[in-house]
Amino acid sequence: MNVKNIIKRKVEAFVRQSAWFTEEMFPDCQKFWRHNTFNLDVVNLGSTSGVYAFNYESLPLKGANFALRRNPLFADLQILKNYESFLKPNATVILPLCPFSSLSGSYQYLEDRFYTLIYPNCIPCFSKKKQQQIIKIKNNPIHYYPLYGLEKDIIDFLKDKLGVKKQDALMTEYDMEQNAINRMNGWFKEFSLKDFSMPLSLINQDGIIDAANYLNEIIVFCKVRGFRPVMIIPPVYNTLSAHISVDARKILFDQMILKIEDKSVPFINYLDDDEFKNDKSLFKDSFLLNDKGARKFTKRVLSDLKLI
Amino acid sequence: MALQNAKGQDIPFIGLGTFPFEGEVMANMINNAVIAGYKLFDTADDYRGESGIGIALKNLPLGFNREDLFLQTKISDNNAHKDDPLTGIFFNKNSKFMQRHTVHEIVHEKVCNSLREMNIDYIDSLLIHYPFPDYMVDIWEELIDLKQRGIVRYIGVSNFHECHIDKLIHSTGVCPDINEIYVSPIAIKQSMVEYCKLHDIHIMAYSPLMDLASRRINSNMLQPIADKYGKTIAQIILRWNVERNCIPLPKSKNPNRLIENYNIWNFSLTPEEVNNISSLNYDYQYLVESKICPGI
């Protein structure tokens, strides 16, 4: 191999590790591209909270975290349809729900990264041209790398190589409170909410109906194929759970769960679980678990489901 | 060699897989295979090889004609080649094309294309390539009609599980003649073999030697059997398929290999040897089926 090719390969490896590639273009995709473990005992779907809530490493069963950040319920169904061949018969399918999952039930838009993950038939308004464009970026990222990220990526790369990369520091109680407020403000803005004591807007009512429909579809899909679906709500830190009022819980959780047709599907709510909600060392922020929290929570869920 | 099923139909005991060969390469391979003794040739409407078969049929070796051959193709969703511009169009509930056209129109067009490309006026066997979740029964009804009209001699399926075949039978009362699936000593699909035997369905095994070529099969166990019969391990695996009533569809364009793969009729394996080879099974999965046919 000549020097030019060696340099090209090194640069390409660098680009593939860049924030642009791993966080902007194809977040959480690498695990699907590389996945080759069959006969899985348990998988979880889900969105951002699911990504951070599960880690099956070092457990006495085969598990996979199939959650993706910013993943609508519609995409959960598509991921399950595309990757069900990896599951063994009687596998458990965990469906983690975020506090506001129900309101985003109507989201159908799938980001460009899905062109690298799922079959065309599963992508609404699939475009062959778009697919070719995205696959080109995936296969030759070096041709598309934006220079604006170069300086930061070089610094991160060097820090990583020198082993001086800063670990996520634990947030202070004040930070946790501020983070919870910011999270709630963000969701209130996203869903045009003012107060949960008021009737929900029509669009949010539709969201709950659509969310329940997708969950029903996922449950039927699982049951027909002999999988065991389980709905759960991962824990959040107490500063955030304190902001989710009784009225909010009735609307966000109870209304949706009431619409689930198969009442035999377990629903486990860990939102306020004492084992987690007061232990800051388990959280990345008020909403997401960190690696330690994910390992502990995964063990807890699997134990509750009597899988370990 | 051909085997008969309870309906008195004959299907060759071994065939040739033809993906991804095209054009003159395909034509030469077919002609060499015909001379070697092959009669069954397996392709699909999206393999881009049908026109090569057409070229071969125009120039068959002396003494052979089309009626001697068994040509099998499939109804696909144009997914075999990554650059296929029709990807995502067929048998996709979301595509505008499927909202505008009936399954009848689409199957009719695909069958007409296959007949034209291969330069033939009937197809020996036509399969549904995958159990397309929303369309398999509609496509199956079209295939039944084509068989009744004599355009197709046998109809079948590919990559179907037991539940999919049950659905076809339940919906139409007609059972497939063939199910073409991946079978290998490391993926013996015993339940499917038994199911097909029960329903008088012929199993065809695609890529039967792939796991040997890719060294996934532990050849230490097979070598003594090969030595005993003076055969290669590849021939032992092909014969193992035949002993289990699976029709192997090995692929090769090498004339010597074509002859070697076909030359499996002058010996047979004992039931114990068949069981020993089957014991290599660990339910390996080559294709992630649900990534090719979501919801399978």
Side-chain angles (χ1 to χ4, degrees), chain A residues 192-202 204-205 251 255:
Chain A
S192 306
L193 292 166
K194 286 202 173 82
D195 185 349
F196 277 109
S197 61
M198 303 289 287
L200 270 189
S201 63
L202 287 174
N204 283 332
Q205 288 179 40
I251 289 170
Q255 279 195 21

Side-chain angles (χ1 to χ4, degrees), chain B residues 122-182:
Chain B
Y122 70 90
I123 295 168
D124 293 281
S125 165
L126 183 63
L127 314 181
I128 307 177
H129 208 154
Y130 274 91
F132 307 114
D134 303 305
Y135 296 95
M136 68 174 116
V137 173
D138 290 344
I139 302 172
W140 186 238
E141 284 169 349
E142 293 303 321
L143 265 55
I144 293 168
D145 181 53
L146 287 165
K147 187 178 179 181
Q148 284 168 350
R149 287 160 55 199
I151 296 165
V152 177
R153 290 176 63 212
Y154 300 99
I155 53 176
V157 295
S158 182
N159 299 298
F160 272 51
H161 297 179
E162 290 92 322
C163 61
H164 304 125
I165 298 175
D166 281 342
K167 188 171 178 182
L168 297 189
I169 296 172
H170 182 255
S171 306
T172 64
V174 179
C175 184
D177 298 314
I178 294 160
N179 187 15
E180 184 182 330
I181 54 173
Y182 162 64

Side-chain angles (χ1 to χ4, degrees), chain A residues 81-82 85 119 121 128 225, chain B residues 77 82 91 94 290 295:
Chain A
K81 280 184 176 178
N82 278 260
S85 287
Y119 190 75
N121 287 10
K128 181 70 189 172
R225 284 154 186 82
Chain B
D77 62 347
K82 280 186 179 161
F91 312 127
N94 298 320
S290 58

Side-chain angles (χ1 to χ4, degrees), chain A residues 23 71 74 82 94 124 128 134 156-157 159 163-164 174 178 202 213 220 229 236 240 247 251 266 287 293:
Chain A
E23 303 295 318
N71 195 36
F74 168 73
N82 278 260
I94 299 173
K128 181 70 189 172
I134 302 302
D156 285 349
F157 179 77
K159 278 183 176 172
V164 293
Y174 174 78
Q178 287 306 307
L202 287 174
N213 286 343
V220 169
V236 298
L240 182 58
D247 286 339
I251 289 170
F287 178 48

Side-chain angles (χ1 to χ4, degrees), chain A residues 72 74 101-109 203 206-208 210-211 214:
Chain A
F74 168 73
S101 287
S102 54
L103 298 189
S104 59
S106 305
Y107 289 1
Q108 267 211 337
Y109 174 71
I203 197 162
D206 288 349
I208 292 177
D210 288 340
Y214 283 129

Side-chain angles (χ1 to χ4, degrees), chain B residues 251-268:
Chain B
K251 174 188 75 177
S252 180
K253 62 176 178 173
N254 177 324
N256 294 330
R257 195 72 56 73
L258 282 170
I259 294 167
E260 180 191 311
N261 290 344
Y262 190 78
N263 187 16
I264 56 171
W265 307 113
N266 54 359
F267 76 107
S268 57

